[in-house]
Structures are given as C-alpha cells and as structure tokens.
Amino acid sequence: MTKAVHKFGGSSLSSASRYQAVANIILSQCSAGDSIVVSAAGKTTNTLVKLWQSHVQGDAQAVNDIVLQLQAQQSQLISELLQGEAARELLATLDDELRTVTSASQQAQLHEATLLAHGEVWSARLLAAYLNTLGVQARNWDARTLFTLHQGQLLEQKNQQACLSAIDGEHIHVVTGFIAADSEGQTVTLGRNGSDYSATLLASYIRADAVSIWTDTQGVFSTDPRKVASAIKYPKVCRGQANLLARLGNPVLHAKTLSPLKNTAIKLVVRSSYDPEASPTEVVKEGYSKAKRFITTLENCDLVRVEQLQAGEVRELSQLIQHSIHHFSQGAEVFLLVPAAFTHQVVHQLQGRANLVGSNLNGCAVVAPSNEVTSLYQQARQLLETQEVVVRASHIAQEYALFLTDQLIDADLLAVLHDRLITKGQELAVIIAGLGNVGEVFVAQCQEQIAHLQQSFDIKVVGLLRSNQMLFAASGITLSNWQSQWQNEAVSYTKADLLARIGELDYEHKVVIDITASESFSQLYPDFVSADCHLISANKYAGTAPNDWYQQLRSKLQERNLYWRYNTSVGAGLPINFALADLQNSGDKIVEVEGVFSGTLSWLCSRYDGSETFSELVLQAQQLGYTEPDPREDLSGRDMQRKLLILARDLGLTLDLDDIELSPLMPDSLAAGSWQDFLANRTELDTFYTAQVAAAAAQGKVVRYTGILQQSGATLTAKVGIAFVEPGSALANLTPGDNIFVIRSQWYQNNPLVIQGPGAGKEVTAAGIHSDLYWLIQQLK
Ligand code: ASP
Ligand code: MG
C-alpha cells in the first residue's frame, strides 16, 4: 500500500470554506494510512509572534487584545465547521489554553515556542474533528510527541520509531507542522514556514512514497505568478534548484524541506489547494529534469561581511532567527544575506566578527543552468542599467547571479527582467490528434514549418494520436519517418494513459492540436487544460458545446494563461476568426456577419441554373466527394448553424445552438427516413427548390443558402436558411464551392469587408492550423 503525506499551509486553512476545500481534497485523494501535516490557519503564527513581542515589552493591554483576537478567529472557525458536542469541546479547550496563555504572561512564565505552537495545534485538532464529522476516521497528532531534537539535532531513531508506531494504516493522521520537542520535552520550532520540513521529515520517517505540498500557487514558477502573468509553471524542477530558490528566500518551499528526502525516492509535488485539478510541479532528483531559468526577488535584506565563518555556523544562525540565511564567498570574504529585522541578532551572535556592508537592500537573483549564468549575469546587469537601477552589490556563482540594490524590484520591472532573461529559448511540445486526411497533410507540412519556426522557439512534436493508438516520444518524434516509428512504437491507450503522458512532459509550453472528427476527444479539453496545454481545434465540437461547458473551459483557460485557437473550424484556412478578433481589438463594432459557410451548399446553389434538377446536382456533388456521406447532413444546414454559433461566440455573444434559427435546404418530409426514401422521393426536393427559385425571381433575386448574425440595438438576429439575394451581390456571384463572409461594422458599413475563398480542402485546412500554431508561438514569445 502506498503512503502519502499531504501538507496544507496557512493560506489553505485561512477560513472555514478553505477547511472545507481541504477536506474535499482529502476525501478525494487520501486513504487510511495517509498523513496530513498542517500549518497554523491563515496568519495565526504572525499574530502569535506579535503576542510574544507584546509580552516581552510588558504590554499587558496588547497581550489581552491579541488573545481576544485569536479567540475570536479560532472560535469562528470552530463554530462554522462543527456542531453540538464536538464544537463545545473544542471551544472549551481553546478557552482553557488562552486563559493559560494570559496567566503565564502575567506571571512572566510564557515560553516563546510553546506559545507559537498553538497555531498548529489548533489547526490539527479542528481539521481532525471536522474530518470525523464527515465520516473520515481521522486522528490528530501533536508533532511534539513525534519529533525530538537534542541540541538542535534530530534524534533520528527515536523519531522514526515514534512515527512508525503512531501512523497506523487505519486512520488518516492529522499532524501539526512546524513544531517538535527537545529532549527535555520543551517545545521547539523548526523555523518560520517550517511545516514543509515537518512534512518531508514525517515522510522520511514513515517511508512514505510521496509528499504533496498544497499551497496557494499551482507549483513552482519561473517567477512570482502573482506579479508576472507570463510566469512559466515548470512541470518538473530538480531538487538542487528548488533548494537554492528556497535559500534565496523564494517562498514556495522552505529551505530545509528537501534535506530529509536526500537518498530517498520519495516523490515531492507542489500543488494548489485552490485548484486541485491543475497539474502540479514535481520536484525531482538531480538529473531527472533539466535545469531551468528562474528569477526570484529579495526584499529588505542586510548584507553582512563575516570574518572566519565556521562550518555549520550559518545553519545555527538560521535556527536562531528562524529564517533561512543565504551566504556566499567572494575571494577570501564571506557574506551573509540576512532579513533586516534579524540583523542585530545575527551581528550580536557573531561577536565582533560581523560588519554591516549594506542595509535594507532589495534585489533579485537569476537562477539558471550553469552554462548560462555568465551570459545572463551580463544581460541582467545591462538591463538593470537601462532600467536605471543602481546595483549596489552583485555576485555570480555557478548556479545563479545575484544583484542587490536600494530600489524595489516591483512587478513591472520584474516583468521586464522575466521577459528578457527567462523566456528566451522556450520550448513547445506539440501533440497532434487525428491523422486522417487533414492530419496527415498537417504533419507533412510540419517538417518545413517547424524548421522555420525553430529559429525563435524550440518546437517538438512529441505525440501523435489516432483514436486507439498513440505514439509518444518526450524528446521529439522524427517527422521524416513518423510512419515507421508509428508502426514500431505506437501503443494502444486509455484516457488516463494519455493524460499521464501529457502530464510527464517536461516542457514550458504544450499544445494539443485536435484534428480529429471525434466529439468525445473534445470532451477531454478540460483535462488538457488542467495539464496546462494550449489548444488548437480544427473541428467544431468544443466551440459549439453547451454554453455552460464552453464558458467553464474558457475561464479555465484564462486562469492558466492558456490559449485556444480554432480558426479552421469556420471557413477552413480563411482568416475569418482573425478578422473578427482584429476588428474588435482595434475598437470597431461589428453589426452584421452574413455569408455562405458551407462549401457544399455554396457549390449547389451557385451551380444551379435550371439545366439539371437540384436533386441531380446533389447526387453529383455526392459523387465528387463534396458532401457528407449522407448529403442530407449538408442540406440540414446544421453545419452552418454550428459555424454561425462559433462566430457569434467570437463576437462575445452567449448563445447556444438552439438560439440560432435553422431552416433546412429541403422539405421536412425528406429530412426524416432513410437515404433510400430520399432517393425514391427526390422530386419533392426539386419541387421545393424550384418554388424557391420562382419566388426569388419574382423579386428579381436569386436563391442562396446563408447564415446571418445581426445586432441592431437590443435585437439580435441569428439564423441559417434560404435567402433571396441581389444577382449583382457578392453572395450571388460566388465561385461554386467557395465560402464567403460579409462583415458590416461601424467602419465597414456601406461597403462591407468581404472574405472569400475555399472553405474546405485538406491543404488549406492544414495550412490554417499552421497559422493557428504560428499565432500561438507569437503569443508565447
Ligand atoms: N505556521 C508557521 C509559520 O507561519 C509554520 C508554517 O506556516 O509552515 O511560520
Ligand atoms: Mg477559418
């Protein structure tokens, strides 16, 4: 049986609804024998630190106020999550504990670590009790009974025994993070944000298989995603780089988190409790992922030069101030980067060996593969200079370059740095689904096209899919002989296999190109998006799916900064979707889109001149392969209805298929029944059509099958059906088989914008998909 440890940080437990979200994650992902390590809810530890400071300053009033504040926060959580006896019990214990805190403070007997420990104790107790009310067999553990340190060193054997006997296979174990005991039984803490470390320690003691750190970001990013929208989420990061980032003060992982995992195969992932479906970042052993580029910022640090720094001293100092301290040497000198609030403690401890060389510094560090550091260091220097940032000190090491300045690296500056230093040389993994007519041509065109795009972007086709087999090669499939590779290596797959392969891809960007004719494949789009894939579709399924599903997909894409292109779903390679987007983005207002969006219907109406009957033309078109196998599929107009819906949604309208009026290009009597019935009664089609032609002629017009979308004031017209048009108009004079889009807007009013040309065909469609791919790459640059 596999054992897992899940750690939830303060932000994951900041309110009753966050506890509920955590409980849902536990219900869906955990089984008996798993452990849940928790931090203090929200900012409780900060509040407790304030309480301690007020106590030290002898400010009894402030102590009281803070106790009341804690009481209010905790009781609210308890009352919102528990009822009856369970709630009463926890509220009573909380009262006792806070009374003890107050009186200990009055009698000058408060102990700092014991005080801070309350935050985690409250979280674990409440979460376990809440899980019990949901029918989960949960047990709550105070980590002071599991982890013991003697003179700052973990008593490995004792701890291992304690953990192995505590963590049985029958319960879900909720364990306090952050705290431990010393050999006298006194509380000690593992450093601020130390619950990550608690989780990996526990995992190493109980030999768990995996640790999930659930936080408020979706994983490890190239930079802070809250500040820079184009931050890249890395699917894999190796331990060395993760550790370095933590030492440099990056908040994603605590600096000691990785040490218990050394020499183990325990898998570590970072994921978001706010978005449990999103694909996580896996922190892997050295060599299991290539080194990545990151930029992390530092704020409010002091630079301290130290003489004769001894081994282990930095660790002791970090322990003392409960924060990680980064250190580096330049020549014979050693420098410490200390959070400014703790400098005097550090300087004091070093007793005359420390010199403050810079105070209240901000800055940034570029972490990168070692062969890139030197050139990035130079680029960053120049860039900072052009941005008028005065660098006070800098340092270059094998894996990173560090810059310290008085100025703050704000979100705008960070975005510029990220843009120029990090997103260069990006990679895009391409997965192509559907190797039919269009798919094959697309792949054939890929070779040359990718070579062309390669100059700015590293693009690899890593997956090819047919409905029941797939071929995956993480480092790229050789396109010149994919067929033989397919023969030898394609395997059958399930949805889970496919998603697992996509999840494993170690690329900055991924795109799934759907050239299938499969509706069920389009239903996987939300899964692809959860796995951080951009989407390109050549069919209309997802674009015309029910509005709720469609909107959810859209917002999911937006949350993750992902793109979805489907230009070929309407008018094949014709740039209709581009044109609509472009007009709207440049401030125009589109009033009407009218046109013929079906090559088949275009061919039939434009070819008809009365010399043959309409049904004869239909049969001819079928022979020529211009129609669906049953041409009534074309005559029904449904395909045009779907296309019109896609255009409508592109214009920001929230429509569903049913909102588009549809009248077919055949009498109702022929729509039902078999194809044989149709053949037997096809003169009904001819009567139907000649009646339309006569009615049109009476008005001096000709018959076309069109779609129209028109917004005038509050009224919206959306319909597909027969239209009578002026013989001289663009719609009337279409080359048989062509599509046409007539766009009227504020700026193209009397003289509309017309896009016309072949709206089907494998070459133009494949080329249209390439144009979507090209567009995507431009956005990612
Ligand atoms: N609650 C502790 C802190 O805020 C530990 C943690 O969050 O991991 O530092
Ligand atoms: Mg198109």
Side-chain angles (χ1 to χ4, degrees):
M1 201 188 65
T2 61
K3 270 192 278 191
V5 175
H6 295 261
K7 179 259 167 175
F8 293 93
S11 63
S12 299
L13 299 166
S14 55
S15 65
S17 61
R18 296 312 313 157
Y19 268 80
Q20 283 155 349
V22 166
N24 283 336
I25 294 174
I26 295 172
L27 285 170
S28 67
Q29 313 225 359
C30 297
S31 47
D34 286 351
S35 305
I36 315 297
V37 173
V38 290
S39 297
K43 301 243 175 282
T44 304
T45 309
N46 288 354
T47 313
L48 289 163
V49 168
K50 261 194 239 134
L51 203 166
W52 173 252
Q53 286 161 349
S54 305
H55 164 77
V56 172
Q57 289 155 8
D59 187 345
Q61 182 59 45
V63 169
N64 258 335
D65 292 348
I66 299 172
V67 166
L68 288 176
Q69 184 191 339
L70 287 164
Q71 169 129 29
Q73 284 164 351
Q74 288 302 315
S75 349
Q76 186 178 353
L77 286 176
I78 296 172
S79 331
E80 281 178 33
L81 291 165
L82 301 177
Q83 264 122 38
E85 191 44 36
R88 273 195 295 280
E89 205 181 300
L90 259 65
L91 288 169
T93 319
L94 174 69
D95 276 355
D96 278 353
E97 288 164 337
L98 288 172
R99 228 173 295 123
T100 312
V101 167
T102 313
S103 68
S105 170
Q106 282 158 356
Q107 294 158 25
Q109 278 172 358
L110 206 56
H111 175 249
E112 185 178 7
T114 312
L115 174 67
L116 299 190
H118 281 105
E120 273 66 20
V121 169
W122 292 330
S123 298
R125 193 194 287 150
L126 177 54
L127 182 62
Y130 179 56
L131 287 171
N132 281 323
T133 66
L134 302 178
V136 177
Q137 300 282 319
R139 245 167 117 163
N140 145 36
W141 293 98
D142 185 323
R144 286 172 289 196
T145 63
L146 304 176
F147 303 156
T148 309
L149 285 88
H150 181 65
Q151 295 176 341
Q153 301 291 325
L154 291 155
L155 299 179
E156 303 287 349
Q157 261 185 355
K158 177 177 159 68
N159 296 345
Q160 182 157 18
Q161 265 165 19
C163 293
L164 282 172
S165 65
I167 309 300
D168 63 27
E170 270 92 74
H171 297 84
I172 289 206
H173 302 273
V174 185
V175 182
T176 58
F178 183 50
I179 56 175
D182 66 14
S183 38
E184 276 77 56
Q186 274 279 16
T187 306
V188 291
T189 62
L190 301 176
R192 287 307 307 271
N193 304 313
S195 304
D196 293 350
Y197 180 42
S198 306
T200 51
L201 265 183
L202 179 64
S204 73
Y205 291 142
I206 62 171
R207 304 187 194 102
D209 305 275
V211 178
S212 295
I213 305 282
W214 294 87
T215 163
D216 54 357
T217 55
Q218 286 173 15
V220 183
F221 285 72
S222 53
T223 194
D224 187 342
R226 285 163 297 203
K227 294 186 185 152
V228 180
S230 58
I232 304 159
K233 181 169 87 190
Y234 293 127
K236 285 184 188 170
V237 171
C238 53
R239 289 181 182 176
Q241 283 197 311
N243 199 17
L244 175 60
L245 286 167
R247 284 204 319 270
L248 288 164
N250 185 296
V252 178
L253 285 180
H254 182 264
K256 285 187 278 187
T257 312
L258 293 157
S259 59
L261 303 183
K262 225 185 196 158
N263 306 321
T264 76
I266 300 170
K267 179 173 157 159
L268 176 71
V269 296
V270 179
R271 53 205 317 192
S272 164
S273 70
Y274 289 72
D275 193 356
E277 300 297 310
S279 63
T281 295
E282 190 181 337
V283 182
V284 295
K285 283 192 195 179
E286 245 36 53
Y288 284 78
S289 158
K290 57 185 184 324
K292 308 280 164 37
R293 290 187 188 185
F294 302 85
I295 180 161
T296 183
T297 52
L298 298 106
E299 269 173 38
N300 215 1
C301 291
D302 290 342
L303 191 61
V304 177
R305 190 176 54 224
V306 191
E307 275 147 41
Q308 293 156 359
L309 189 75
Q310 273 128 44
E313 226 173 350
V314 176
R315 191 170 45 78
E316 283 160 27
L317 289 167
S318 300
Q319 174 78 17
L320 174 77
I321 65 165
Q322 301 265 303
H323 274 273
S324 70
I325 296 178
H326 184 65
H327 76 287
F328 56 87
S329 10
Q330 270 179 354
E333 301 186 303
V334 180
F335 293 88
L336 303 183
L337 212 48
V338 186
F342 303 101
T343 306
H344 93 240
Q345 251 180 303
V346 168
V347 171
H348 178 80
Q349 182 75 12
L350 289 168
Q351 297 177 346
R353 283 183 292 139
N355 274 306
L356 186 64
V357 290
S359 57
N360 291 316
L361 297 171
N362 301 310
C364 62
V366 179
V367 173
S370 44
N371 61 345
E372 296 174 2
V373 172
T374 313
S375 97
L376 284 173
Y377 172 80
Q378 276 147 6
Q379 286 176 51
R381 259 214 104 95
Q382 268 173 19
L383 206 56
L384 287 167
E385 206 168 292
T386 52
Q387 297 291 318
E388 290 170 15
V389 175
V390 182
V391 175
R392 288 271 311 272
S394 68
H395 174 66
I396 176 164
Q398 207 188 350
E399 309 96 347
Y400 71 98
L402 173 71
F403 301 90
L404 297 170
T405 148
D406 294 320
Q407 283 134 292
L408 197 67
I409 310 284
D410 62 14
D412 291 340
L413 181 53
L414 185 60
V416 172
L417 293 168
H418 181 263
D419 223 43
R420 303 288 287 278
L421 302 172
I422 308 300
T423 52
K424 285 277 139 58
Q426 293 187 70
E427 301 167 312
L428 174 68
V430 179
I431 298 135
I432 303 169
L435 300 170
N437 273 338
V438 177
E440 289 214 344
V441 178
F442 178 77
V443 176
Q445 293 173 349
C446 259
Q447 271 189 73
E448 206 173 307
Q449 183 58 10
I450 288 183
H452 168 67
L453 295 171
Q454 207 77 10
Q455 291 152 8
S456 52
F457 228 88
D458 193 4
I459 304 165
K460 296 207 167 71
V461 175
V462 298
L464 294 175
L465 310 173
R466 290 192 202 268
S467 52
N468 41 29
Q469 282 199 304
M470 68 176 183
L471 171 66
F472 257 89
S475 47
I477 293 165
T478 315
L479 290 178
S480 52
N481 70 342
W482 69 269
Q483 286 94 339
S484 69
Q485 220 174 327
W486 179 274
Q487 289 283 321
N488 301 326
E489 292 164 37
V491 291
S492 57
Y493 66 97
T494 62
K495 169 185 160 182
D497 297 334
L498 171 60
L499 295 175
R501 290 313 298 263
I502 292 178
E504 278 163 15
L505 291 171
D506 188 13
Y507 283 73
E508 275 85 77
H509 303 285
K510 297 178 262 190
V511 58
V512 174
I513 303 183
D514 174 9
I515 322 179
T516 68
S518 154
E519 181 162 13
S520 61
F521 189 79
S522 73
Q523 282 154 0
L524 298 177
Y525 284 14
D527 295 308
F528 297 148
V529 173
S530 293
D532 285 305
C533 295
H534 302 281
L535 301 172
I536 292 177
S537 330
N539 61 50
K540 292 178 281 292
Y541 296 114
T544 60
N547 199 49
D548 284 349
W549 187 93
Y550 176 85
Q551 294 301 345
Q552 267 172 30
L553 179 65
R554 280 251 172 250
S555 47
K556 217 168 160 169
L557 285 155
Q558 204 178 6
E559 278 162 22
R560 291 177 170 70
N561 293 317
L562 294 170
Y563 297 101
W564 178 23
R565 301 294 293 178
Y566 40 81
N567 185 46
T568 55
S569 63
V570 182
L574 298 179
I576 172 66
N577 311 67
F578 277 110
L580 294 184
D582 217 50
L583 286 176
Q584 294 183 98
N585 290 336
S586 38
D588 200 354
K589 205 174 150 4
I590 293 165
V591 235
E592 187 185 283
V593 181
E594 188 188 10
V596 177
F597 330 137
S598 154
T600 317
L601 302 185
S602 152
W603 190 87
L604 291 172
C605 295
S606 302
R607 278 295 300 272
Y608 183 84
D609 57 7
S611 62
E612 310 157 276
T613 65
F614 193 65
S615 63
E616 272 161 3
L617 270 183
V618 170
L619 296 178
Q620 247 181 67
Q622 187 191 32
Q623 285 293 311
L624 292 166
Y626 293 171
T627 67
E628 294 296 323
D630 182 340
R632 288 177 301 169
E633 191 50 41
D634 298 291
L635 298 176
S636 74
R638 279 194 291 265
D639 171 66
M640 272 184 51
Q641 189 191 28
R642 284 183 178 271
K643 287 171 178 163
L644 196 69
L645 177 60
I646 291 180
L647 297 179
R649 287 178 172 173
D650 275 357
L651 297 186
L653 300 166
T654 36
L655 296 188
D656 262 314
L657 262 188
D658 294 344
D659 300 320
I660 298 171
E661 207 182 302
L662 172 70
S663 53
L665 188 55
M666 61 184 155
D668 292 343
S669 56
L670 288 180
S674 68
W675 178 239
Q676 292 312 319
D677 297 337
F678 175 90
L679 288 179
N681 301 309
R682 70 186 169 97
T683 51
E684 285 176 34
L685 179 63
D686 300 328
T687 320
F688 168 89
Y689 198 76
T690 42
Q692 300 291 341
V693 171
Q699 299 172 21
K701 295 186 175 165
V702 297
V703 172
R704 291 293 179 267
Y705 195 82
T706 68
I708 184 162
L709 188 71
Q710 191 183 58
Q711 281 175 290
S712 93
T715 40
L716 175 76
T717 314
K719 63 178 184 197
V720 168
I722 290 167
F724 299 164
V725 304
E726 296 286 347
S729 70
L731 286 171
N733 294 293
L734 207 53
T735 308
D738 271 8
N739 279 14
I740 184 168
F741 300 86
V742 181
I743 303 166
R744 288 197 171 76
S745 69
Q746 201 176 314
W747 299 332
Y748 291 93
Q749 232 170 43
N750 302 330
N751 198 4
L753 172 67
V754 177
I755 296 175
Q756 178 181 343
K762 52 187 181 181
E763 276 81 15
V764 289
T765 307
I769 304 171
H770 277 292
S771 127
D772 279 344
L773 182 60
Y774 176 78
W775 181 93
L776 174 67
I777 289 166
Q778 298 311 306
Q779 305 309 305
L780 299 181
K781 265 188 195 167

